[in-house]
Amino acid sequence: MKQDKQRTLDRLARLEGQVRGIARMVEEDRYCVDILPQTAAVRSALKGVDRMVLENHVHHCVEDAISSGDPKEQREKCPSSGFLGPMAA
């Protein structure tokens, strides 16, 4: 679990740097069309974080709930896919 957590935190730190770079581009009045690919890259990287978190949830929380045999816990750990938003599509 800690390894997954560190990978997620590392990815988020890189994203934070990317966002700061975009803010700097805006502050420097960079050409709008030059900024757009950077924001697209951030969105794509954030979707990667979403996948990592969801994968971790399935491999740990959901597996534990299934192993417990407790239907209530299973329902709690496996909510409808509505929380995934566009990822569910």
Side-chain angles (χ1 to χ4, degrees), residues 11-79:
R11 180 82 57 99
L12 288 169
R14 283 194 300 275
L15 269 162
E16 181 181 13
Q18 285 181 285
V19 170
R20 284 190 186 137
I22 294 169
R24 199 168 28 259
M25 291 174 78
V26 172
E27 288 171 356
E28 295 170 354
D29 294 322
R30 294 279 299 271
Y31 187 52
C32 298
V33 175
D34 291 340
I35 296 171
L36 293 174
Q38 300 304 317
T39 60
V42 167
R43 277 193 307 277
S44 177
L46 194 53
K47 286 181 183 179
V49 171
D50 287 345
R51 283 189 295 275
M52 289 172 64
V53 171
L54 181 59
E55 182 178 294
N56 184 64
H57 178 67
V58 169
H59 288 286
H60 297 283
C61 304
V62 173
E63 283 183 7
D64 291 347
I66 291 169
S67 296
S68 76
D70 180 356
K72 181 180 178 191
E73 184 181 357
Q74 292 168 1
R75 281 190 297 277
E76 288 172 357
K77 302 297 180 181
C78 300

